[in-house]
Amino acid sequence: MTEKEKAVGKEHVEGKEKGTGKKIYLGTNTKMYKTIGDTCTYLKALKELTADISEEQAELFVIPSFTSLAAAREILQDSGIRLGAQNMCWEDQGQFTGEISPLMLKELAIDLVEIGHSERRHVFGETDQEERKKVTAAVRHGFQALLCVGETLEQKEYGISDEVLRMQLKVGLHDMTAENGGNLMIAYEPVWAIGVHGIPAGEEYVNQRHRVMKQTLKELLGEEAAWEIPVLYGGSVNPGNAVPLMRQPYVDGLFIGRSAWDAHDFNRLIRSVLEAQA
Ligand code: PGA
């Protein structure tokens, strides 16, 4: 770690300890769960429970199913909770049966688009090149692109996690420039840590990977943009590890699955993180 990196990391930690640190980011992707009705019930409750949390304290976001987006937009209209889509095609229109165009998402006035979730990459075979096209299209259309990256267990065992992360970032963000910093967010989600069979990653391991990712962002987009881009951790985040993970200097936020799908659970987790920061 260079002296400068140490200083920035230290500043971040000290800021967190004093409660004056950078804004934190806490979001969830509800995957292929929750019907429109379920999403509405969930969002109404979450909106009410978190109404007193300012956007300066925490940026909250929810990424529900495509079919729920219109109803979700209505509910979240006058709330601080941002709304995202789970995927997007890079083309505006055309012969792409089953795909969702950026123009269709624009009509729904969503804020962000999740790109390259582990399940998109490993169940549906999406490639880094495809993620790059999606990131580029999302940013061009004015959405914030949430690019997910992460190594598989095999890659971790070969000791090439950092190489994999650097490659996924370098290809995925290839078309980006320093000016796009504010339109990007990264989620580090090791494939082996995600879902019911996932093993939560240790906070020290996570911090080391986040440090490598910040360094890569710096190489790609420059120092300022690199510190501007939030890097979140995801993969079996739960009430027991949320606070220790958030205490890591290079962790800007958490991207949560199962532990956030009940509005009360998510609210409790958000509060525990906020209290630990205060
Ligand atoms: P999990 O999901 O928290 O249920 O492991 C995380 C994710 O896939 O984003």
Side-chain angles (χ1 to χ4, degrees):
M1 204 187 290
T2 65
E3 284 311 308
K4 179 121 196 179
E5 270 186 293
K6 268 189 216 157
V8 176
K10 189 163 166 280
E11 203 178 282
H12 196 163
V13 183
E14 283 174 353
K16 280 179 167 184
E17 279 169 359
K18 289 191 213 116
T20 55
K22 292 201 308 182
K23 173 158 88 168
I24 59 171
Y25 300 78
L26 300 166
T28 184
N29 150 30
T30 65
K31 307 194 182 185
M32 202 176 73
Y33 292 100
K34 294 192 191 294
T35 59
I36 301 174
D38 297 337
T39 304
C40 290
T41 308
Y42 170 75
L43 289 178
K44 280 179 194 157
L46 187 66
K47 179 178 159 181
E48 208 178 302
L49 289 165
T50 59
D52 62 315
I53 299 172
S54 74
E55 286 171 52
E56 286 69 45
Q57 283 176 287
E59 184 172 305
L60 307 178
F61 63 91
V62 176
I63 309 183
S65 66
F66 281 116
T67 55
S68 305
L69 286 173
R73 180 69 289 165
E74 288 280 307
I75 294 167
L76 299 181
Q77 209 63 279
D78 53 350
S79 86
I81 303 172
R82 301 177 80 225
L83 181 64
Q86 296 183 10
N87 187 16
M88 187 192 81
C89 185
W90 56 83
E91 295 284 351
D92 286 0
Q93 59 179 17
Q95 302 178 85
F96 301 102
T97 303
E99 289 292 307
I100 307 279
S101 141
L103 302 179
M104 295 167 187
L105 293 178
K106 246 181 170 169
E107 271 186 313
L108 294 165
I110 61 154
D111 305 294
L112 60 126
V113 181
E114 179 178 0
I115 293 162
H117 183 273
S118 148
E119 287 144 23
R120 297 303 317 168
R121 292 176 186 266
H122 299 286
V123 181
F124 297 99
E126 289 185 10
T127 64
D128 284 327
Q129 283 292 349
E130 287 168 340
E131 313 311 1
R132 175 185 65 77
K133 290 196 265 185
K134 292 180 189 204
V135 167
T136 308
V139 169
R140 190 175 68 241
H141 284 283
F143 302 118
Q144 184 172 35
L146 168 54
L147 176 66
C148 303
V149 295
E151 80 282 7
T152 62
L153 183 60
E154 191 185 22
Q155 290 163 336
K156 178 176 179 270
E157 283 168 355
Y158 275 118
I160 55 170
S161 303
D162 292 343
E163 285 85 345
V164 170
L165 295 174
R166 284 174 61 77
M167 187 176 73
Q168 290 177 342
L169 288 177
K170 283 183 143 181
V171 179
L173 302 179
H174 183 75
D175 305 327
M176 297 294 105
T177 63
E179 287 69 48
N180 301 126
N183 304 108
L184 298 170
M185 180 148 66
I186 306 295
Y188 168 52
E189 301 204 296
V191 181
W192 47 270
I194 294 176
V196 268
H197 304 298
I199 309 141
E203 55 266 19
E204 194 40 51
Y205 181 86
V206 170
N207 195 49
Q208 283 166 19
R209 305 287 81 71
H210 277 229
R211 200 191 125 250
V212 169
M213 289 189 287
K214 276 284 177 205
Q215 180 59 45
T216 310
L217 292 173
K218 222 185 285 180
E219 287 167 30
L220 288 173
L221 306 171
E223 177 109 26
E224 210 174 305
W227 292 114
E228 194 183 359
I229 300 170
V231 184
L232 281 59
Y233 168 77
S236 296
V237 172
N238 58 59
N241 65 9
V243 169
L245 280 163
M246 275 308 300
R247 285 216 171 100
Q248 299 304 310
Y250 287 93
V251 176
D252 300 314
L254 302 172
F255 193 26
I256 310 145
R258 291 156 293 150
S259 297
W261 295 343
D262 173 281
H264 290 271
D265 289 347
F266 192 17
N267 177 53
R268 269 191 291 272
L269 196 145
I270 294 166
R271 307 249 167 216
S272 69
V273 169
L274 285 175
E275 263 167 43
Q277 306 277 308

